[in-house]
Amino acid sequence: MKHARTTFLSVASLLCMAVAGPLHAEQTDDVAIPEAAKSFVSATCLDCHDGPDGEAGLDLSGISGDLDDDHLFETWVRIYDRVKAGEMPPPDSYDTDAKTTDAFLSTTSDWLRTHQQRKWKAEGRVPARRLTRKQIERTLHDLLGIDIPIADRMPEEQRTHGFTTVASGQAMSHFQVERHVAAVDRALEEAFRRALTPPDRELRELSARQVARRNPKRRTREPEMIDDLAVVWSSRLIFYGRLPATTAKEDGWYRFRIKASALKAPEGRGVWCTVRRGPCVSSAPLLPWVGAFEATDEPQEWTFETWLPKGEMLEVRPGDNTLKMASFKGGQVGAGEGGPQNVPGVALHSVTMERIHRGPDDDTIRTILFGDLEIQKDGKKPATLKSDDPQADAARLVRTFAGRAFRRPVSDDEVAPYVAVAMASLEDGDSLLDALRAAYRAVLTSPRFLYFREVPGSLDDYALANRLSYFLWSRMPDEELMQLAAKGRLSNPQVLHEQIDRMLNDPRGERFVADFAAEWLDLSEIDFTEPDRRLYREFDSIVQQSMLDETHAFLNRLLDEDLSVANLIDSDFTFLNSRLARFYDIDRVKGDTLQQVMLTPEDRRGGVLTHGSILKVTANGTNTSPVIRGVWINERLLGVRIPSPPENVPAIEPDIRGATTIREMLAKHRSIESCAACHVKIDPPGFALENFDAAGQWRERYPLLSKRRPGGGPKIDPSYELPDGRTFQNAEEFQSLILESPENIARNVAEQLLTYGTGAPVGFADRDDLDRIIAQAAESDYGFRSLLHAVIASPVFMRK
């Protein structure tokens, strides 16, 4: 294939291999390349890609037809895709007639599909898949009735094809097993504690004086008393506004009601404040987020719920970086030092702190663990269970618990090892309580608990209940799903349709969008970088959290109202509070409540594409890169996969002097033949969004990094052209061009949902089913909810 170096990059990066047997050698039937494919490659490719010195490092002379080699299979898929897309052979190389090309495509497609279908029939399209740490936590909550954090006790999980749910990337090392056992022990400890001890009760009603500093003469970081109110002034001093009176005596969930008002608020707006938690001492890490509110002259009350570990407290303070800041020397604040500086502040009127539990009460937990057995307490002696036949009661309770934990009916043989654990414990003289705990521990550390039980072919109703529940709720199936599975009714299309809507409308379904978007859109990584404060002075933690809230609310609206997924690219609405609206330079939003806002062209916003959350996770905190954003948009929103760059090509680094634009540097980069084929896809969306800086704000010029000037560099040019030659001048025109083919957006969303929900990426043999999903969703203009229904009802979702 002549002059194909620039058009064959993605294949070149995959085919630099030593393969057995030349193309023209004798091959067995198992690895025989179809004649149409063999002749097509021989006629159009070997002139330039024959031998180790082949153009772009691509040697096709020895390519094999052994499709059992996953790498070779994917190589043939990419060759097929490039030919089908018209990227190869290059038009100026060979006059390949349509008949020959069609024969190659048809034959190769049948060959690849048949092989993959045969493999899946024997093995299943999804390898053995286990629960993620988030799913383990929520499952333990459901099983035991507890509410304590568990996930952070287990190792971080890698993402494969974008998701932690993908089976091929789920490792299970000795360390992971050890941490899983430790997490199970902590969960059982909490469940037995709540079942056997008095209820957790605590209520503190704290006045302003009680949350302020005790000694007004001492310089400290607690609020000071002014006019019978506990006051914290706007400042950058860390841990200023800490409230020792809220220190937790025990780990737990707490509900706080904070009554507050603003002092010296800026004209026309209130004082935005943050509520965070932590030890609030110099050696403490960054404070986790609890919430935010906009204090006004009129006192108001806000309610927050947070997990508060023992020894941690709240910090309440002005958190808007655009406010005038007070300066305090020596790391402490003396009474009377902030007021004369004429800065805004927050005045706390009262704080109420109440210990709560999220989930079942203690009686329910006792029933989960001990059934109808009575707990006996004798003074200071350990509690015991009253039982006339401990062996029989233990066997009965273990069997019931195992059935719930394994999320399907269990046979006597399956439950026997766990009953044996309880029996052995009793024989050793342990109490019935200890015997049950040992057996429950064995159940919860079993592969039957940790892994999905699926066999090749169509899922049975129990497997379907599990896949559906962990997809939409990231937790175990509830009683209704299990009852439908028991009756064999869940796989009925109408019943399945009704259950999808029930689950999405259930409070447990409120987390679906956040769970899915955390990985699909990389929102879980929004804390990975912090925008340079000297360049992005208006950015703060309130803005960042509001950005996440905006994207979650936006996606939920698409789902709730079945709006087209084309809104991901552009829309006439979004969700803002007054702080984020001001950050976006939109001046018609009041209050700290997130609200739907209709957009105008002057707002320069529309679609997830222009959400601050997305713009931030696709930047490095200092400057933007059209390459990083371009790759991200292609893969996450447009459904175009970009291969990794060649190792010998250096990355583009910004010119901190501002003498050279990123456009000029990339033009030189694209002159490298091995880079051009990918950059024709990467650069258009990357340049289209260049007017949005690393913090998500609009800009006209690049920053001058050497002098930390946000707008002192060269003027930004967002114009470019798409791979098909259509040109655009700005982001709006780019969005319009992309939306001429909304089916591509829908196809990508469907692929992302299938990958996340089934635990395997969409394969070549899934493509016909994917086409049917998109055709079905087209009837609703690619509504997000309709697309989700079509995905779940598809054969891809309904089989292992």
Side-chain angles (χ1 to χ4, degrees):
M1 206 178 289
K2 296 179 181 179
H3 312 297
R5 186 173 297 165
T6 60
T7 61
F8 208 63
L9 167 69
S10 52
V11 179
S13 64
L14 294 170
L15 285 181
C16 297
M17 63 185 78
V19 291
L23 182 67
H24 305 293
E26 287 294 324
Q27 297 175 327
T28 66
D29 290 340
D30 291 339
V31 296
I33 302 173
E35 186 58 41
K38 182 190 300 184
S39 60
F40 183 88
V41 171
S42 296
T44 63
C45 303
L46 286 182
D47 282 354
C48 297
H49 301 286
D50 186 4
D53 296 327
E55 290 192 22
L58 174 63
D59 178 12
L60 292 181
S61 63
I63 189 169
S64 166
D66 181 9
L67 299 185
D68 284 330
D69 182 325
D70 291 340
H71 181 69
L72 273 172
F73 182 88
E74 290 303 319
T75 296
W76 277 106
V77 170
R78 290 187 180 273
I79 293 173
Y80 170 88
D81 286 343
R82 297 307 179 270
V83 174
K84 186 175 182 180
E87 296 177 7
M88 59 171 284
D92 59 349
S93 301
Y94 290 91
D95 294 327
T96 306
D97 62 275
K99 183 177 180 180
T100 301
T101 301
D102 289 345
F104 167 79
L105 292 174
S106 176
T107 301
T108 305
S109 176
D110 290 343
W111 177 46
L112 296 174
R113 184 188 308 106
T114 300
H115 173 83
Q116 195 163 62
Q117 287 175 337
R118 185 187 307 119
K119 183 177 181 180
W120 287 352
K121 184 176 181 180
E123 303 174 7
R125 66 177 295 277
V126 185
R129 180 165 70 112
R130 63 167 174 80
L131 305 181
T132 66
R133 65 177 194 164
K134 174 176 61 184
Q135 293 169 342
I136 291 170
E137 175 183 87
R138 295 183 189 174
T139 303
L140 290 173
H141 287 177
D142 290 344
L143 272 174
L144 300 173
I146 60 175
D147 58 5
I148 64 173
I150 296 292
D152 58 3
R153 294 175 175 269
M154 291 172 277
E156 289 278 355
E157 295 172 308
Q158 71 175 27
R159 289 162 58 188
T160 305
H161 298 283
F163 299 102
T164 58
T165 57
V166 172
S168 60
Q170 292 180 328
M172 182 50 73
S173 66
H174 289 296
F175 175 69
Q176 286 169 309
V177 171
E178 177 185 336
R179 299 316 303 158
H180 174 72
V181 173
V184 165
D185 285 341
R186 179 67 186 95
L188 287 171
E189 176 187 353
E190 173 67 4
F192 275 71
R193 182 194 70 81
R194 287 186 57 187
L196 300 173
T197 61
D200 300 318
R201 290 194 178 98
E202 183 179 2
L203 178 64
R204 304 182 204 175
E205 295 179 337
L206 305 169
S207 66
R209 188 165 298 280
Q210 288 172 304
V211 299
R213 62 188 65 184
R214 295 182 179 181
N215 183 352
K217 296 182 179 180
R218 182 181 178 186
R219 301 185 78 244
T220 179
R221 301 182 198 181
E222 285 88 61
E224 62 180 292
M225 287 299 294
I226 300 178
D227 296 332
D228 295 324
L229 299 175
V231 174
V232 182
W233 299 108
S234 175
S235 169
R236 297 195 189 278
L237 182 64
I238 62 172
F239 308 134
Y240 178 37
R242 64 187 181 188
L243 308 178
T246 64
T247 303
K249 298 177 181 178
E250 300 292 342
D251 293 355
W253 284 97
Y254 293 85
R255 178 181 294 125
F256 290 92
R257 289 188 293 275
I258 300 173
K259 186 176 183 180
S261 60
L263 294 177
K264 302 181 181 181
E267 184 177 354
R269 55 189 174 96
V271 176
W272 272 91
C273 301
T274 57
V275 182
R276 298 182 295 181
R277 65 168 177 86
C280 293
V281 295
S282 59
S283 60
L286 294 176
L287 303 181
W289 180 264
V290 174
F293 62 90
E294 186 178 20
T296 61
D297 293 341
E298 188 68 24
Q300 300 178 65
E301 187 173 85
W302 293 267
T303 300
F304 304 97
E305 292 182 0
T306 184
W307 174 261
L308 198 62
K310 181 180 179 180
E312 292 195 5
M313 66 185 75
L314 289 193
E315 176 210 77
V316 182
R317 64 184 297 168
D320 182 347
N321 276 355
T322 66
L323 297 174
K324 181 182 177 182
M325 302 286 178
S327 177
F328 302 109
K329 296 180 179 179
Q332 303 293 342
V333 180
E337 292 182 2
Q341 299 186 53
N342 196 31
V343 298
V346 60
L348 303 179
H349 295 241
S350 64
V351 176
T352 300
M353 176 180 182
E354 180 184 8
R355 179 82 181 270
I356 62 172
H357 281 294
R358 292 179 159 185
D361 58 21
D362 293 355
D363 287 339
T364 302
I365 295 177
R366 279 189 283 273
T367 300
I368 289 172
L369 297 176
F370 313 133
D372 56 359
L373 297 183
E374 180 183 344
I375 297 176
Q376 293 182 318
K377 297 181 181 179
D378 184 9
K380 296 183 179 180
K381 293 182 180 180
T384 60
L385 288 179
K386 183 179 180 180
S387 172
D388 295 331
D389 190 343
Q391 286 80 8
D393 286 332
R396 171 175 58 86
L397 290 170
V398 170
R399 183 185 183 91
T400 300
F401 186 82
R404 294 184 64 238
F406 298 160
R407 306 175 293 279
R408 61 169 54 243
V410 292
S411 66
D412 290 340
D413 288 342
E414 288 175 314
V415 80
Y418 313 105
V419 172
V421 170
M423 297 302 108
S425 181
L426 290 171
E427 290 173 5
D428 288 342
D430 294 334
S431 69
L432 179 54
L433 278 172
D434 290 338
L436 288 173
R437 183 165 177 167
Y440 293 165
R441 184 179 193 257
V443 167
L444 296 176
T445 54
S446 164
R448 290 188 173 92
F449 168 77
L450 196 55
Y451 282 83
F452 289 87
R453 296 179 65 187
E454 300 170 346
V455 297
S458 297
L459 301 177
D460 64 36
D461 277 54
Y462 287 106
L464 178 57
N466 276 272
R467 179 172 287 189
L468 182 63
S469 186
Y470 283 102
F471 179 35
L472 299 182
W473 286 349
S474 288
R475 61 198 321 145
M476 64 185 288
D478 66 356
E479 186 62 27
E480 183 167 339
L481 284 175
M482 294 301 285
Q483 288 179 356
L484 289 170
K487 296 174 183 177
R489 295 184 57 212
L490 185 57
S491 53
N492 177 284
Q494 182 58 36
V495 173
L496 183 61
H497 176 83
E498 293 169 353
Q499 287 300 304
I500 294 169
D501 281 338
R502 176 185 75 87
M503 295 176 70
L504 291 175
N505 296 336
D506 187 279
R508 287 166 288 189
E510 294 177 358
R511 290 295 305 170
F512 168 69
V513 157
D515 291 341
F516 177 50
E519 300 186 6
W520 167 38
L521 300 179
D522 283 331
L523 297 187
S524 63
E525 298 182 8
I526 198 166
D527 285 325
F528 188 72
T529 61
E530 181 71 19
D532 189 327
R533 183 179 294 173
R534 290 169 291 182
L535 289 172
Y536 311 109
R537 298 174 183 176
E538 295 185 20
F539 185 87
D540 53 45
S541 59
I542 300 172
V543 167
Q544 177 170 295
Q545 186 60 43
S546 298
M547 288 173 171
L548 286 175
D549 294 341
E550 174 191 20
T551 303
H552 292 156
F554 183 87
L555 294 174
N556 273 312
R557 180 58 55 88
L558 299 190
L559 185 62
D560 292 344
E561 299 187 6
D562 199 25
L563 301 182
S564 175
V565 294
N567 283 282
L568 295 169
I569 303 301
D570 197 11
S571 66
D572 60 2
F573 71 94
T574 193
F575 289 83
L576 305 173
N577 55 34
S578 66
R579 181 69 187 93
L580 184 57
R582 180 156 44 89
F583 186 78
Y584 286 169
D585 200 23
I586 297 174
D587 61 3
R588 57 188 183 277
V589 180
K590 303 294 182 183
D592 55 12
T593 302
L594 205 66
Q595 53 202 271
Q596 181 170 317
V597 176
M598 301 308 295
L599 298 170
T600 68
E602 292 71 29
D603 296 327
R604 300 184 176 115
R605 302 282 166 175
V608 163
L609 197 65
T610 63
H611 283 194
S613 59
I614 301 305
L615 297 167
K616 183 179 184 299
V617 299
T618 57
N620 64 8
T622 301
N623 202 5
T624 60
S625 164
V627 176
I628 294 174
R629 279 186 177 161
V631 170
W632 193 96
I633 293 166
N634 270 288
E635 296 191 338
R636 305 306 171 89
L637 295 179
L638 305 183
V640 178
R641 306 296 173 244
I642 305 296
S644 300
E647 293 183 0
N648 61 340
V649 176
I652 291 288
E653 297 293 340
D655 178 5
I656 64 171
R657 300 168 300 169
T660 307
T661 67
I662 192 74
R663 179 180 290 269
E664 291 168 334
M665 288 186 283
L666 276 174
K668 295 180 180 179
H669 197 66
R670 288 192 302 275
S671 67
I672 303 173
E673 290 182 291
S674 60
C675 299
C678 285
H679 277 278
V680 73
K681 301 173 184 176
I682 293 171
D683 295 350
F687 279 114
L689 295 182
E690 274 293 87
N691 279 119
F692 295 99
D693 66 24
Q697 286 185 301
W698 182 265
R699 64 185 178 182
E700 297 289 346
R701 293 182 175 276
Y702 287 105
L704 194 58
L705 301 182
S706 61
K707 297 183 179 180
R708 289 297 187 265
R709 289 172 54 191
K715 185 176 176 58
I716 293 169
D717 177 8
S719 64
Y720 212 79
E721 66 176 306
L722 298 179
D724 60 12
R726 291 178 294 166
T727 62
F728 58 87
Q729 298 302 310
N730 50 44
E732 292 82 5
E733 292 184 12
F734 170 78
Q735 291 166 305
S736 296
L737 292 176
I738 295 300
L739 289 180
E740 290 180 5
S741 302
E743 67 278 4
N744 293 337
I745 310 303
R747 178 178 297 275
N748 174 65
V749 174
E751 285 196 45
Q752 301 285 356
L753 289 169
L754 284 167
T755 303
Y756 175 69
T758 68
V762 171
F764 190 88
D766 292 325
R767 292 183 177 184
D768 290 343
D769 288 325
L770 183 60
D771 289 340
R772 285 186 280 271
I773 290 172
I774 304 309
Q776 181 180 337
E779 300 173 6
S780 66
D781 191 25
Y782 307 109
F784 192 13
R785 198 178 190 95
S786 294
L787 193 62
L788 182 60
H789 273 274
V791 161
I792 293 173
S794 71
V796 182
F797 190 88
M798 301 281 282
R799 65 173 179 251
K800 182 186 183 309

